[in-house]
Amino acid sequence: MATGRGARRPGEDDQPALVDPAEVRRVRAVLALGGVPWDALDDGVQRVRLKLLEERADPTRPKVRDPLAWLTVVASRVASDWHRSQSRDAGLRRRLAEHWSRPPVEHPEEQRLLALAVADELESMLPAHRQVLVLRYYADLPIREIAQLLNVPEGTVKSRLHAAQAAMRARLRQVEAI
């Protein structure tokens, strides 16, 4: 295979691999300094590895000049992404708690307890499942729009929604909320 200017050649050794313990320690340190909690550092390292694989999969991208600098930048972006996702989730939990903490006159106690149980269960769900449930039932978005927002096929949204509903239903039965 001929390689053009800046194109990658298979087997180049100067590309970051994130298998060297020093590289992993550096990525973990950047993530920790970026505010990612200790229990999420391994997930962060895996996300950096995924970005690395995506980078290597595209032969038209120019090769990475400074692999350690590249890993550092990607790790800092992963930390920023982690904070953004946490703030979105925290904001949703806060709004739900505020909404249901004051007893409305028109809602019976049973409905309030169910809503609080649903909010608790949303916290423990997989992020992808929580995301589709919230967009579908709290934001009242159609499946087509959810698919566009998440940049996934409609079938994926339907599948996630079905799995999330089943998990929520099972968990609410288990805690005897329904």
Side-chain angles (χ1 to χ4, degrees):
M1 175 173 115
T3 57
R5 191 174 88 129
R8 293 208 177 96
R9 290 182 304 268
E12 287 183 325
D13 293 338
D14 59 347
Q15 294 301 310
L18 203 50
V19 293
D20 180 22
E23 291 175 342
V24 173
R25 281 194 305 273
R26 182 184 194 121
V27 167
R28 287 176 63 86
V30 170
L31 292 169
L33 288 171
V36 176
W38 290 106
D39 60 340
L41 289 179
D42 289 334
D43 289 338
V45 170
Q46 291 304 323
R47 287 185 182 181
V48 173
R49 280 189 176 118
L50 179 62
K51 297 286 185 191
L52 172 63
L53 291 173
E54 290 171 353
E55 179 74 20
R56 285 185 163 182
D58 187 356
T60 62
R61 289 186 181 166
K63 74 175 191 171
V64 174
R65 290 185 186 163
D66 185 352
L68 287 178
W70 185 89
L71 288 172
T72 303
V73 168
V74 171
S76 68
R77 289 180 182 158
V78 167
S80 294
D81 292 345
W82 183 87
H83 282 291
R84 261 194 301 277
S85 70
Q86 292 302 317
S87 65
R88 276 193 305 265
D89 290 348
L92 172 65
R93 284 192 293 273
R94 188 187 72 252
R95 286 191 306 274
L96 286 173
E98 287 173 1
H99 179 73
W100 289 103
S101 64
R102 51 185 188 269
V105 177
E106 66 274 7
H107 295 296
E109 182 72 16
E110 184 178 301
Q111 285 182 352
R112 287 187 328 115
L113 292 175
L114 177 60
L116 289 172
V118 167
D120 283 343
E121 294 311 315
L122 278 173
E123 276 190 41
S124 66
M125 295 187 95
L126 294 172
H129 289 172
R130 179 176 52 243
Q131 192 176 41
V132 294
L133 280 177
V134 168
L135 291 173
R136 180 70 181 112
Y137 295 107
Y138 288 93
D140 200 28
L141 296 177
I143 289 175
R144 179 174 305 221
E145 195 170 332
I146 295 169
Q148 290 171 347
L149 285 171
L150 300 179
N151 198 26
V152 297
E154 287 182 41
T156 301
V157 173
K158 290 176 183 178
S159 173
R160 288 179 186 172
L161 193 56
H162 176 75
Q165 290 168 331
M168 176 68 76
R169 192 176 306 113
R171 183 69 179 131
L172 290 177
R173 284 189 179 127
Q174 186 179 21
V175 298
E176 297 178 357
I178 56 171

